[in-house]
Amino acid sequence: QVQLVESGGGLVQAGGSLRLSCAASGSIFSINAMGWYRQAPGKQRELAAAITSGGSTNYVDSVKGRFTISRDTAKNTVYLQMNSLKPEDTAVYYCNAYVIGLDFKSMDYWGKGTLVTVSS
């Protein structure tokens, strides 16, 4: 029905930058919100950043000032610009989208995840 495909993960040195992308496709009428969750080894999954269709953003405290979430509504794509990366940012990052389908039913969808590794 709906698929989310992430890209942009990889290995980067501390202090470096990466940009993650997530493109949603399928039976989509609109997307109310998209976000990036992350899960590090031994830690709970947490919401790193989210953005609504109205442009409101939310960040976990640990990434404020370093990460920026944005979206291209026409392309159903969300981006996460990650600057000044720290080793503690190492995690699998999962794209999430709250989608209104063509049947006007809403549902959360998840990508398979992309690994971000920050070396010291």
Side-chain angles (χ1 to χ4, degrees):
Q1 185 179 1
V2 174
Q3 297 82 41
L4 304 180
V5 179
E6 303 115 323
S7 63
L11 175 65
V12 66
Q13 297 180 58
S17 298
L18 285 173
R19 190 180 77 154
L20 305 183
S21 299
C22 174
S25 62
S27 302
I28 299 169
F29 177 76
S30 66
I31 300 177
N32 281 352
M34 299 186 78
W36 291 94
Y37 287 77
R38 65 184 186 179
Q39 188 162 27
K43 292 184 176 292
Q44 294 186 73
R45 183 188 66 177
E46 66 177 0
L47 178 66
I51 186 166
T52 69
S53 60
S56 298
T57 59
N58 186 41
Y59 301 92
V60 68
D61 287 343
S62 60
V63 311
K64 288 180 179 177
R66 300 188 297 118
F67 290 12
T68 302
I69 190 168
S70 61
R71 79 271 190 266
D72 184 333
T73 303
K75 295 182 178 180
N76 290 328
T77 299
V78 65
Y79 306 93
L80 185 65
Q81 179 66 46
M82 304 184 293
N83 298 326
S84 301
L85 282 162
K86 303 175 180 179
E88 50 263 44
D89 295 318
T90 295
V92 177
Y93 285 71
Y94 297 92
C95 181
N96 170 260
Y98 182 60
V99 175
I100 299 175
L102 294 177
D103 59 1
F104 294 96
K105 295 180 179 179
S106 61
M107 185 177 294
D108 276 321
Y109 291 91
W110 294 88
K112 64 178 175 57
T114 184
L115 177 63
V116 171
T117 302
V118 184
S119 64
S120 60

Tab-separated table of all heavy atoms in Angstrom, residues 38-41 86-93 115-119:
chain	number	residue	atom	x	y	z
A	38	ARG	N	15.129	6.834	15.975
A	38	ARG	CA	16.414	6.157	15.975
A	38	ARG	C	16.503	5.213	17.161
A	38	ARG	O	15.895	5.446	18.205
A	38	ARG	CB	17.575	7.153	16.000
A	38	ARG	CG	17.675	7.994	17.261
A	38	ARG	CD	18.799	9.009	17.123
A	38	ARG	NE	19.036	9.740	18.356
A	38	ARG	CZ	19.959	10.659	18.511
A	38	ARG	NH1	20.761	10.982	17.491
A	38	ARG	NH2	20.103	11.277	19.681
A	39	GLN	N	17.268	4.167	16.984
A	39	GLN	CA	17.486	3.202	18.041
A	39	GLN	C	18.951	2.802	18.054
A	39	GLN	O	19.459	2.239	17.088
A	39	GLN	CB	16.604	1.971	17.868
A	39	GLN	CG	16.664	1.014	19.055
A	39	GLN	CD	15.506	0.046	19.082
A	39	GLN	OE1	14.939	-0.283	18.038
A	39	GLN	NE2	15.136	-0.402	20.267
A	40	ALA	N	19.605	3.131	19.140
A	40	ALA	CA	20.998	2.772	19.347
A	40	ALA	C	21.075	1.458	20.105
A	40	ALA	O	20.132	1.075	20.812
A	40	ALA	CB	21.709	3.874	20.117
A	41	PRO	N	22.188	0.752	19.992
A	41	PRO	CA	22.336	-0.509	20.724
A	41	PRO	C	22.119	-0.327	22.220
A	41	PRO	O	22.696	0.573	22.835
A	41	PRO	CB	23.781	-0.920	20.414
A	41	PRO	CG	24.078	-0.284	19.101
A	41	PRO	CD	23.365	1.030	19.149
A	86	LYS	N	27.897	13.274	16.631
A	86	LYS	CA	28.603	12.736	17.779
A	86	LYS	C	28.502	11.217	17.777
A	86	LYS	O	27.558	10.660	17.229
A	86	LYS	CB	27.999	13.279	19.079
A	86	LYS	CG	27.970	14.788	19.189
A	86	LYS	CD	27.235	15.222	20.450
A	86	LYS	CE	27.194	16.728	20.577
A	86	LYS	NZ	26.468	17.158	21.796
A	87	PRO	N	29.446	10.538	18.409
A	87	PRO	CA	29.347	9.078	18.477
A	87	PRO	C	28.024	8.589	19.057
A	87	PRO	O	27.531	7.537	18.627
A	87	PRO	CB	30.527	8.691	19.370
A	87	PRO	CG	31.534	9.760	19.118
A	87	PRO	CD	30.725	11.022	18.956
A	88	GLU	N	27.456	9.334	19.983
A	88	GLU	CA	26.190	8.926	20.567
A	88	GLU	C	25.006	9.048	19.613
A	88	GLU	O	23.902	8.606	19.935
A	88	GLU	CB	25.899	9.702	21.863
A	88	GLU	CG	26.050	11.202	21.729
A	88	GLU	CD	27.407	11.697	22.202
A	88	GLU	OE1	28.426	11.078	21.864
A	88	GLU	OE2	27.432	12.722	22.921
A	89	ASP	N	25.223	9.640	18.444
A	89	ASP	CA	24.194	9.654	17.411
A	89	ASP	C	24.140	8.349	16.632
A	89	ASP	O	23.228	8.154	15.820
A	89	ASP	CB	24.423	10.809	16.427
A	89	ASP	CG	24.279	12.174	17.071
A	89	ASP	OD1	23.344	12.364	17.875
A	89	ASP	OD2	25.104	13.057	16.753
A	90	THR	N	25.102	7.485	16.848
A	90	THR	CA	25.130	6.202	16.155
A	90	THR	C	23.866	5.417	16.471
A	90	THR	O	23.538	5.181	17.630
A	90	THR	CB	26.364	5.399	16.561
A	90	THR	OG1	27.542	6.073	16.116
A	90	THR	CG2	26.335	4.005	15.950
A	91	ALA	N	23.157	5.024	15.432
A	91	ALA	CA	21.896	4.320	15.605
A	91	ALA	C	21.372	3.901	14.247
A	91	ALA	O	21.843	4.368	13.205
A	91	ALA	CB	20.863	5.212	16.303
A	92	VAL	N	20.376	3.036	14.274
A	92	VAL	CA	19.574	2.803	13.089
A	92	VAL	C	18.473	3.851	13.079
A	92	VAL	O	17.752	4.005	14.067
A	92	VAL	CB	18.973	1.387	13.063
A	92	VAL	CG1	18.075	1.213	11.845
A	92	VAL	CG2	20.085	0.345	13.057
A	93	TYR	N	18.372	4.570	11.996
A	93	TYR	CA	17.375	5.620	11.860
A	93	TYR	C	16.228	5.109	11.001
A	93	TYR	O	16.436	4.623	9.891
A	93	TYR	CB	17.988	6.875	11.232
A	93	TYR	CG	18.856	7.647	12.193
A	93	TYR	CD1	20.081	7.145	12.599
A	93	TYR	CD2	18.441	8.873	12.710
A	93	TYR	CE1	20.872	7.839	13.506
A	93	TYR	CE2	19.228	9.576	13.604
A	93	TYR	CZ	20.441	9.048	13.994
A	93	TYR	OH	21.223	9.746	14.890
A	115	LEU	N	21.406	2.700	8.692
A	115	LEU	CA	22.376	2.756	9.776
A	115	LEU	C	23.274	3.974	9.639
A	115	LEU	O	23.868	4.211	8.585
A	115	LEU	CB	23.227	1.485	9.794
A	115	LEU	CG	24.345	1.413	10.839
A	115	LEU	CD1	23.763	1.449	12.254
A	115	LEU	CD2	25.178	0.151	10.638
A	116	VAL	N	23.369	4.720	10.726
A	116	VAL	CA	24.290	5.844	10.824
A	116	VAL	C	25.325	5.494	11.885
A	116	VAL	O	24.979	5.217	13.033
A	116	VAL	CB	23.566	7.147	11.204
A	116	VAL	CG1	24.574	8.256	11.517
A	116	VAL	CG2	22.630	7.571	10.092
A	117	THR	N	26.588	5.498	11.491
A	117	THR	CA	27.671	5.206	12.412
A	117	THR	C	28.610	6.405	12.471
A	117	THR	O	29.125	6.837	11.438
A	117	THR	CB	28.452	3.960	11.978
A	117	THR	OG1	27.566	2.841	11.887
A	117	THR	CG2	29.552	3.634	12.986
A	118	VAL	N	28.816	6.921	13.664
A	118	VAL	CA	29.690	8.070	13.878
A	118	VAL	C	30.900	7.597	14.663
A	118	VAL	O	30.777	7.149	15.808
A	118	VAL	CB	28.978	9.206	14.623
A	118	VAL	CG1	29.899	10.418	14.733
A	118	VAL	CG2	27.684	9.577	13.912
A	119	SER	N	32.047	7.698	14.059
A	119	SER	CA	33.275	7.244	14.687
A	119	SER	C	33.968	8.395	15.399
A	119	SER	O	33.854	9.557	15.001
A	119	SER	CB	34.217	6.626	13.653
A	119	SER	OG	34.640	7.594	12.705
